[in-house]
Structure formats: C-alpha cells, structure tokens
Amino acid sequence: MKYNSLFSSYLNCSNDSEVFEYFQTTLTDSITVWNYFVDWQKVLKKFADMEIHLNTLNYLIGKDNIEEEFAKLLEISPQIVSVIPILIACRTATFQILTDYESGKFSYKSFNFQRQTSLSPSEIEDILEFTRKTGLLELFAKKTIKSIPDYVLGIEVGLDTNARKNRGGNTMEVILETLIRDICEQNNLLYISQATSEKIKTAWNIDVEVDKSSRRFDFAVRNQENLYLIEANFYGGGGSKLKATAGEYKTLFDFLSKQGHKFIWVTDGLGWKTALRPLEETFRYIDYTLNLNMVIRGLLQELITITD
C-alpha cells in the first residue's frame, strides 16, 4: 500500500502496517440484501414459460392406469416432453443413461426431451421408461406430488439458490457502483461499468492494453489527468481461490502501472480472515486496496479526485 497522508486524516493511521490493521479489522461480515435469497423475477419467468405444459401434466395426478393415460397425453400434447427434465431438477434436454455395467460391459441408452410436434410409439415408450425408472410416475400416481406446477415452482426456487454466490458478487458491484456514481456526480467525473479496453477507447480515446482478451474492469473512472481502473469482490467464506485472487491483482497492478494507469482494488468479506498473509502481501504491493468501510469514509473519493 502506498502510504498517503489521507490515511492519517481519515483513518488515524500513521503507517502502512496500521492501515492494514484497520483494513482487516473493519472487514464487512455481510452484504446480503433482500434479493440475495431468491430472484423471483427470473424464477417466475421460467415458470411462466412452461406453466401450460405443467398444468397439462397435472392431469396424471392420482391416475391408477398412469402409463396408459400418460401415453394418451403424449399423443395429444407431444410438446409436454420439454418439461420432463425439470421434473427431476435438470436443465439439459438430452440424457445418456448407463443401463448396464454388471455384464462386463457398459451399455447406454439415449433420451431426448427437446420440444417436438409429434411422437412415434417407440419415442413414447422411451418417455414412459424414463419417467417410470426415475420414479416420477409413481410419485404422480400415489399423489405424493399433489400439484405438478407447485412442485416445479419449488424446484425452480431450489435451482435458483445455486446462483446465490454470483448474486453475492454482483451485490458488491451494485453497492460500489452506487457509491462511485455519487462520487462522480459530485465531482464532475466520468465512469464506465464493466469497462473493456474497447469501451474505454471509444468513450475517452485512451488506450488500455489488457492481460487477457476477456478482461472487463468492474469500473473505470477518469479525472482530468488519470484513468482509474477498479476491481471489486466480496468473499464471505474462505478457500484456495483467495490466495490466487490476491496474486492475480499483484500481476494486474504491474501490468497497468507500466501503462501509466492507476489501479484500485476494493475487496471485503470475512473470508479474508482465512487468507490474511496473501492479502497482506498484495496490500503492501499494490498502491491502493480498500474495503467498503474505507470507501464509505471517503478514501475512494479522495483518491480518484487527486490530480498529479
């Protein structure tokens, strides 16, 4: 960390060791907001796209001769095959099932649930086999599932929880963008979110070489003299990725500094408590590493409004 007199006035820290101590003792334990739990807009959109087919399948609930009834339903409404994968919480439309491995060889059978306008008798038999052997038909016949639409809505909610990790990362960007937007409006600065080298060149005619073609900086801010490239992330839990992330930003800092651009890393979360050594190494190496507490206290504003 490049020590700056700002750290004395804003944080009451007299050297970089004290700044790091302040940083790691003010890490935020949570940035969970209400939409972290379920993205209802996405869930309900997916549900609406298949609701008619689910209601058609609901005809099967409680049927004694369920295979016969299902075969008739498939003849009348072959499009319903497209929703069968979601009944077993899968997004894929094709399956390669290992049907035999005890005879000394592996035997497979393929199943295709892409939407179709008609089904042959053999295709219908395959669908019956799949739903029978995965246990779905028994659940429907015994009324273990009383409403297929309600059942699938529950599956969609469950699958959506897999996206929580991404929403956590997005929340950090949303929070930081709100703060950066305010800073820029107050100081007549310009900023770009998800800034690629092409966006920066188009907007400001500034060349930024990137270390990899997929590089998107979370934010780019321009004042009269400098271009600030900002990366943001939040780690609520530990893991091996933290050490790699810290090392990546040391390399990125060197790469951008050689071009004369400024780099600021805004990171937070108690996950860093499990990786303080690599964090401190990067903290001491690159010019500016901030957490949300430091941003809110005004340090980011001071840094990006400095003119050399």
Side-chain angles (χ1 to χ4, degrees):
M1 189 83 160
K2 183 167 68 176
Y3 186 76
N4 189 301
S5 61
L6 294 172
F7 300 127
S8 175
S9 56
Y10 278 85
L11 308 179
N12 195 30
C13 295
S14 58
N15 54 58
D16 56 357
S17 294
E18 290 184 5
V19 177
F20 182 72
E21 179 66 18
Y22 181 93
F23 178 96
Q24 62 109 350
T25 56
T26 57
L27 289 169
T28 302
D29 61 351
S30 172
I31 55 170
T32 299
V33 293
W34 293 115
N35 65 1
Y36 167 80
F37 300 100
V38 180
D39 184 342
W40 286 109
Q41 185 175 2
K42 183 179 75 173
V43 166
L44 294 175
K45 171 64 169 60
K46 289 182 178 295
F47 178 75
D49 289 343
M50 55 186 166
E51 188 174 8
I52 291 175
H53 296 326
L54 297 175
N55 279 304
T56 301
L57 278 175
N58 215 45
Y59 166 79
L60 298 175
I61 298 297
K63 289 291 187 292
D64 293 328
N65 54 341
I66 193 164
E67 290 198 24
E68 180 181 340
E69 295 289 349
F70 192 19
K72 292 178 183 177
L73 202 60
L74 289 167
E75 289 180 10
I76 298 169
S77 303
Q79 300 90 344
I80 63 176
V81 299
S82 62
V83 301
I84 289 175
I86 196 63
L87 300 176
I88 52 173
C90 291
R91 298 281 190 210
T92 55
T94 59
F95 298 87
Q96 187 84 345
I97 305 298
L98 178 62
T99 58
D100 181 34
Y101 54 88
E102 296 177 349
S103 62
K105 62 178 182 178
F106 282 2
S107 297
Y108 295 89
K109 184 168 183 177
S110 298
F111 296 87
N112 185 349
F113 296 100
Q114 292 174 328
R115 184 169 298 184
Q116 301 183 50
T117 56
S118 64
L119 294 167
S120 67
S122 63
E123 288 173 325
I124 289 176
E125 183 53 44
D126 286 346
I127 294 166
L128 291 175
E129 179 186 7
F130 187 92
T131 51
R132 182 194 319 121
K133 291 186 176 179
T134 54
L136 285 170
L137 290 185
E138 184 177 4
L139 291 176
F140 299 160
K142 291 185 175 180
K143 295 185 179 181
T144 306
I145 295 172
K146 296 179 173 60
S147 167
I148 293 177
D150 289 349
Y151 165 73
V152 170
L153 182 59
I155 287 176
E156 286 292 350
V157 170
L159 291 175
D160 183 69
T161 62
N162 295 329
R164 284 180 180 172
K165 184 176 181 180
N166 290 334
R167 283 200 289 272
N170 291 340
T171 299
M172 180 68 171
E173 292 178 28
V174 169
I175 291 171
L176 192 57
E177 181 165 9
T178 300
L179 299 171
I180 288 174
R181 184 188 303 117
D182 289 345
I183 292 171
C184 290
E185 288 177 354
Q186 292 168 20
N187 294 276
N188 197 29
L189 301 178
L190 302 172
Y191 85 94
I192 301 171
S193 61
Q194 295 300 302
T196 61
S197 58
E198 292 81 8
K199 281 186 178 181
I200 294 169
K201 178 68 173 179
T202 300
W204 302 325
N205 197 30
I206 297 175
D207 292 314
V208 178
E209 293 183 39
V210 290
D211 53 339
K212 52 187 178 182
S213 60
S214 60
R215 173 69 68 186
R216 289 175 178 267
F217 298 99
D218 291 324
F219 305 98
V221 179
R222 182 190 179 191
N223 67 20
Q224 292 179 352
E225 298 182 13
N226 297 311
L227 175 67
Y228 292 87
L229 299 165
I230 303 171
E231 288 283 270
N233 40 50
F234 185 92
Y235 296 102
S240 58
K241 183 180 179 181
L242 297 178
K243 182 177 180 180
T245 298
E248 176 188 351
Y249 287 134
K250 288 168 66 178
T251 303
L252 183 59
F253 167 74
D254 284 339
F255 189 81
L256 296 173
S257 295
K258 289 176 182 178
Q259 301 175 53
H261 305 314
K262 307 292 185 180
F263 177 64
I264 300 174
W265 182 26
V266 181
T267 189
D268 215 319
L270 294 184
W272 282 116
K273 293 287 188 179
T274 68
L276 286 177
R277 179 170 293 180
L279 173 63
E280 184 172 7
E281 288 175 359
T282 301
F283 185 91
R284 291 181 181 277
Y285 190 86
I286 72 177
D287 282 349
Y288 301 114
T289 305
L290 309 176
N291 62 24
L292 287 174
N293 178 281
M294 297 162 81
V295 172
I296 291 170
R297 295 196 68 165
L299 276 171
L300 181 61
Q301 175 167 320
E302 289 289 347
L303 291 175
I304 63 179
T305 53
I306 291 173
T307 55
D308 295 335

